[in-house]
Amino acid sequence: MIAPSILSADFARLADELAAVPTSDWIHVDVMDNHFVPNLTLGLPVVKSLLEVTDIPIDCHLMIEDPDRWAIGYAEAGAYNVTVHVEAANDPIALAKNLRAAGSKAGLSIKPGTPLEPYVEVLKHYDTLLVMSVEPGFGGQSFMADVLDKVRQARHLVDTGHLKLLVEIDGGINADTIEQAAQAGVDCFVAGSAVYDAADPGKAVEALRAQAAGAR
């Protein structure tokens, strides 16, 4: 699965930018609040507008404080998958249940320096694990290959039946890094500049998908 990140798109032409990647599996939307991360992007009103102009499932990645309070609104608005950070959630198990009750899939994200092991039981309540391969907050960062150990751990837990979730990766994914991520066991690849800096974003999505499939 390929999920283009609109963080790298032209914010003045978001409807057109979504239309340029029609075969994407998800559209990844980074919500940043300038508190949990040192950057400010967009929020629920923009997500609602995006939902009106595309049929591609919206994958909201909430890099925000107090997701227990704010995340439910994105699910209620119609986002397909709503991901919160385990470092910010007060009660991640209750939050997962509330997100599902509100109509979305529940995703849990971990920063590069956050270990997977303490959250395995928590992840039994989630549909998606988003492994950050850069520090959250800014696009265009370099891929951190050491996080692939966590991907391999998660893949093993899924393959052996201990977890039932999709493994997603976000940060520095491009033609040079997607194959090693695929080999480690990633299911869904978030790609920003690798898609939207390309001359043809739609073809870039298909090229990344072919690379990942070949590596798996």
Side-chain angles (χ1 to χ4, degrees):
M1 297 173 61
I2 305 297
S5 170
I6 64 166
L7 188 63
S8 298
D10 182 347
F11 274 27
R13 301 174 51 252
L14 285 180
D16 293 336
E17 296 282 60
L18 268 58
V21 289
T23 64
S24 301
D25 297 282
W26 292 353
I27 295 293
H28 190 79
V29 180
D30 288 309
V31 176
M32 307 183 193
D33 64 357
N34 200 32
H35 294 286
F36 181 69
V37 292
N39 198 5
L40 184 66
T41 54
L42 48 80
L44 186 55
V46 174
V47 170
K48 288 180 176 178
S49 296
L50 295 176
L51 287 162
E52 293 176 359
V53 298
T54 186
D55 293 326
I56 302 172
I58 297 294
D59 175 32
C60 286
H61 177 196
L62 306 185
M63 289 172 265
I64 63 173
E65 288 185 350
D66 200 9
D68 305 71
R69 175 182 179 185
W70 299 109
I72 306 306
Y74 292 85
E76 292 173 340
Y80 178 79
N81 186 70
V82 178
T83 295
V84 299
H85 268 267
V86 72
E87 302 91 354
N90 294 314
D91 189 341
I93 292 176
L95 182 50
K97 293 176 180 178
N98 290 336
L99 286 170
R100 287 171 163 178
S104 75
K105 301 290 186 181
L108 193 68
S109 184
I110 54 176
K111 292 181 179 182
T114 300
L116 181 66
E117 292 87 347
Y119 305 108
V120 171
E121 292 301 312
V122 172
L123 283 166
K124 291 180 178 179
H125 300 270
Y126 279 82
D127 304 291
T128 307
L129 166 65
L130 176 58
V131 177
M132 292 299 298
S133 43
V134 298
E135 289 296 334
F138 295 92
Q141 298 182 65
S142 296
F143 181 75
M144 301 170 69
D146 57 346
V147 306
L148 294 180
D149 287 339
K150 287 187 283 190
V151 171
R152 294 183 189 98
Q153 287 179 278
R155 180 83 267 147
H156 177 73
L157 290 167
V158 172
D159 291 346
T160 55
H162 289 83
L163 293 176
K164 294 182 180 179
L165 48 73
L166 181 150
V167 181
E168 185 176 13
I169 196 164
D170 180 8
I173 294 296
N174 54 40
D176 296 324
T177 59
I178 194 167
E179 292 182 11
Q180 57 184 308
Q183 290 165 357
V186 172
D187 299 302
C188 182
F189 305 84
V190 177
S193 55
V195 171
Y196 282 114
D197 286 356
D200 186 328
K203 288 183 179 178
V205 167
E206 289 307 306
L208 289 169
R209 192 195 312 283
Q211 268 194 284
R216 284 292 290 267

